[in-house]
Amino acid sequence: MLSNESNDLKVSILASGSSGNVTYVESEKKKLLVDNGLSGKKITELLKKINRNVADLDGILVTHEHRDHVHGVGVLARKYHLDVYANAETWEAMSPIIGTIKTEQKYLFEMGKTMTIGDIDVESFGVSHDAVAPQFYSFHKDNKNFVMLTDTGYVSDRMRGIVSNADAYLFESNHDLEMLRMGNYPWHLKQRILGDKGHLSNEDGALALSEIIGDATKRVYLGHLSKDNNLKELAHLTAVNILKEKETGVEDKFIVFDTDPVEPTSLFVI
């Protein structure tokens, strides 16, 4: 049976990386952003490239308070009267950054809970990162599932259980270990990135993926790549080699790797 695309879950990764993060998720009833680490002007331009209008947005889900995730949240929410969703700790931490949001636009979305937003069931889950209470999201609609998982130092068994066998992923592949170790970052920053509350390396991300993807998985985007300590080709090669080594059947799953897009990915149907 052919899919009725008006009823489908659609996604575009507009930006991913330390310069700004924002992902667009759309259903028949809701048009949402996950994070907005970009200026209002930039997000408007990126949405136009996928033939979407910023004025049609309904809300923003926030993962954590780091500036590359929340820089533009306040401006966009105030200008277009968008609902904003975050857990209580993140609200407190990001308020000085994003400014005042009207009470009627503020929604508490606590970690480990599922919230129905329009016709999408959104599940939140905690990650291990150096923020007050970082959480990412799994989107469910009509037996289809899109998972976002970046900004974590490791993937626990609990996290694997929540995000396994999704139809599509945005998954972290932040750095190449040797590039980071031999690079110019100060030692304290290298320690932060390599720690349990830092970021997944290409190898660790691919190993986690090998235990998570399943028969339903058709698309994987590698995200949050470091501009200084990674290469797109290296992230791609590491992931493909490890998934082949682990005999995941990657060739048969039509896994698509796209890394730290400078231009937004096309709007794809889950």
Side-chain angles (χ1 to χ4, degrees), residues 67-260:
R67 286 187 179 272
D68 58 328
H69 292 260
V70 303
H71 172 72
V73 169
V75 172
L76 213 63
R78 284 186 290 274
K79 184 172 182 179
Y80 296 102
H81 201 72
L82 304 181
D83 296 334
V84 181
Y85 303 82
N87 62 47
E89 295 90 341
T90 298
W91 266 115
E92 183 175 359
M94 74 176 177
S95 291
I97 303 171
I98 69 172
T100 302
I101 303 293
K102 291 181 179 179
T103 302
E104 62 266 26
Q105 294 173 249
K106 298 174 67 172
Y107 287 81
L108 280 180
F109 194 159
E110 295 298 356
M111 190 181 298
K113 302 296 184 180
T114 298
M115 179 180 288
T116 299
I117 303 175
D119 52 352
I120 309 172
D121 292 326
V122 187
E123 182 179 8
S124 66
F125 58 93
V127 299
S128 180
H129 195 50
D130 57 352
V132 292
Q135 66 185 27
F136 275 78
Y137 300 101
S138 177
F139 297 84
H140 301 263
K141 185 180 185 299
D142 298 337
N143 296 316
K144 297 293 185 179
N145 181 204
F146 169 61
V147 166
M148 297 181 63
L149 180 51
T150 67
D151 296 80
T152 191
Y154 69 96
V155 180
S156 66
D157 291 341
R158 173 189 56 81
M159 292 159 63
R160 287 187 181 92
I162 294 170
V163 305
S164 63
N165 198 29
D167 296 89
Y169 293 92
L170 169 61
F171 209 87
E172 180 160 76
S173 190
N174 178 257
H175 59 276
D176 173 74
L177 283 171
E178 288 307 310
M179 287 183 69
L180 177 61
R181 287 170 176 159
M182 300 298 292
N184 294 324
Y185 280 13
W187 177 237
H188 71 86
L189 183 54
K190 292 180 181 181
Q191 285 182 305
R192 171 190 175 261
I193 294 168
L194 291 168
D196 283 349
K197 293 188 176 182
H199 291 278
L200 288 174
S201 67
N202 293 340
E203 182 176 0
D204 287 343
L207 287 169
L209 270 172
S210 73
E211 299 178 352
I212 288 172
I213 61 175
D215 294 338
T217 307
K218 297 296 186 293
R219 189 184 300 263
V220 176
Y221 287 93
L222 301 181
H224 217 300
L225 271 72
S226 168
K227 291 182 178 179
D228 299 311
N229 300 303
N230 211 346
L231 297 170
K232 293 182 180 182
E233 296 79 8
L234 190 54
H236 177 278
L237 182 63
T238 302
V240 169
N241 286 344
I242 286 177
L243 290 175
K244 286 182 178 179
E245 179 185 328
K246 296 295 183 179
E247 298 181 348
T248 60
V250 61
E251 301 93 338
D252 299 329
K253 294 179 184 298
F254 307 104
I255 303 294
V256 178
F257 295 97
D258 194 352
T259 51
D260 195 19

Side-chain angles (χ1 to χ4, degrees), residues 8-20:
D8 285 323
L9 193 64
K10 302 175 186 177
V11 175
S12 180
I13 302 159
L14 300 179
S16 179
S18 58
S19 59

